[in-house]
Amino acid sequence: MKVIVDFCVIPLGVELSLSPYIAECQRILGELGLEHQLHAYGTNIEGEWETVMDAVKRCHQRIHEMGAPRISSTLKLGTRIDRDESIASKVASVEQQLARSAE
């Protein structure tokens, strides 16, 4: 089953800058071939359920290996079976609505 996830990972007990940890998660997502889009407070990920959940687990494992004693993460999940959907198509749908409103 395909899933689109909004993933926010917050290492606790580490320095103030979280960018090294986030960058490592971005590398993991890329290595697994997952479509993903970083945003200011998380990452949108799309792919097969098992692969996406494996990526989340690998991110946690790697961040612990980097020295974070605790991690707090949030996941928002969305699935559809009536049609194929992607991160890009969801964004395009909203942009189309905005364009119609501007006319």
Side-chain angles (χ1 to χ4, degrees):
M1 175 180 357
K2 189 171 178 183
V3 64
I4 297 177
V5 170
D6 188 29
F7 176 45
C8 178
V9 59
I10 304 169
L12 302 170
V14 297
E15 62 271 5
L16 289 178
S17 176
L18 301 181
S19 59
Y21 305 95
I22 305 307
E24 194 61 29
C25 283
Q26 295 296 302
R27 283 186 200 96
I28 290 168
L29 298 172
E31 288 168 2
L32 291 174
L34 290 166
E35 186 69 34
H36 60 284
Q37 185 174 37
L38 179 67
H39 56 87
Y41 287 98
T43 303
N44 293 132
I45 309 165
E46 80 179 64
E48 288 299 316
W49 182 281
E50 292 81 8
T51 307
V52 172
M53 293 305 137
D54 182 46
V56 169
K57 179 181 179 181
R58 288 181 189 210
C59 286
H60 270 250
Q61 288 172 326
R62 182 65 187 117
I63 290 170
H64 282 306
E65 290 169 1
M66 293 172 73
R70 293 181 65 192
I71 302 169
S72 177
S73 290
T74 58
L75 284 175
K76 289 190 277 185
L77 309 158
T79 59
R80 280 191 88 148
I81 59 170
D82 60 328
R83 69 177 190 194
D84 197 29
E85 193 171 52
S86 67
I87 295 168
S89 69
K90 292 177 75 58
V91 171
S93 178
V94 173
E95 289 172 343
Q96 289 170 359
Q97 289 295 321
L98 290 169
R100 285 188 205 123
S101 298
E103 294 173 354

